[in-house]
């Protein structure tokens, strides 16, 4: 009985078990500056170049998907222009809406190819680190 009286005097400080799990997610995104490839740098991604030359409309659908929009978006007038402005603003790429409009209207296939290359590079540059620590004290 003396043992139970002694144990009752000390509160339980830690619970038994595996311990605490901590998860950390770090995202690194490149922002600012110019487009990562120039408008005429079509050979840097040969697949994108080929699809853009044969069927830029199909590439535009792929762009809408990568941009997180509905696949029907490219059917709307001005949608490619809107996506280009959105990409430029999201990644803080230098330029203006006027430049975006001129590029999309005058060089549509090249513009779509450049936007696809940009999204590929920007999304690839994001790094996710998940670390779990178990403290079994």
């Amino acid at each position: 009985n003396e043992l139970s009286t002694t144990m009752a005097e000390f509160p339980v400080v830690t619970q038994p078990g595996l311990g605490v799990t901590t998860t950390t997610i770090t995202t690194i995104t490149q922002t600012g500056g110019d487009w990562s490839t120039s408008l005429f740098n079509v050979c840097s991604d040969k697949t994108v170049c080929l699809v853009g030359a044969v069927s830029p409309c199909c590439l535009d659908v792929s762009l809408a998907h990568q941009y997180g929009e509905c696949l029907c978006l490219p059917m709307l007038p001005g949608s490619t222009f809107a996506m280009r402005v959105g990409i430029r603003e999201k990644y803080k790429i230098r330029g203006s809406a006027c430049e975006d409009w001129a590029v999309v209207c005058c060089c549509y296939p090249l513009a779509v190819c450049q936007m696809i290359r940009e999204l590929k590079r920007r999304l690839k540059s994001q790094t996710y680190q998940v670390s779990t620590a178990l403290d079994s004290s």
Side-chain angles (χ1 to χ4, degrees):
N1 214 354
E2 202 175 291
L3 180 61
S4 63
T5 307
T6 308
M7 290 182 77
E9 294 175 9
F10 299 107
V12 176
V13 181
T14 58
Q15 295 291 328
L18 290 177
V20 178
T21 303
T22 306
T23 304
T24 306
I25 298 176
T26 305
T27 305
I28 302 169
T29 306
Q30 174 190 354
T31 58
D34 295 320
W35 292 88
S36 61
T37 60
S38 75
L39 187 63
F40 301 103
N41 191 5
V42 292
C43 294
S44 65
D45 190 330
K46 291 176 182 29
T47 305
V48 169
C49 174
L50 182 65
V51 176
V54 174
S55 180
C57 295
C58 291
L59 199 59
D60 210 357
V61 170
S62 176
L63 175 64
H65 176 70
Q66 287 185 32
Y67 191 65
E69 290 291 338
C70 173
L71 299 181
C72 298
L73 181 71
M75 293 181 199
L76 298 174
S79 61
T80 305
F81 166 67
M83 285 189 287
R84 185 172 178 89
V85 170
I87 291 168
R88 189 176 49 74
E89 289 182 352
K90 179 178 182 177
Y91 296 111
K92 297 178 178 41
I93 298 170
R94 279 188 223 114
S96 67
C98 187
E99 291 171 357
D100 292 333
W101 181 85
V103 167
V104 170
C105 287
C106 299
C107 308
Y108 170 74
L110 295 175
V112 174
C113 289
Q114 183 186 38
M115 292 159 55
I116 288 275
R117 290 191 308 266
E118 193 67 33
L119 285 181
K120 278 184 173 182
R121 283 185 168 78
R122 299 286 179 152
L123 295 176
K124 187 194 252 184
S125 70
Q126 291 183 352
T127 305
Y128 298 98
Q129 298 174 338
V130 178
S131 55
T132 305
L134 296 176
D135 182 15
S136 57
S137 39

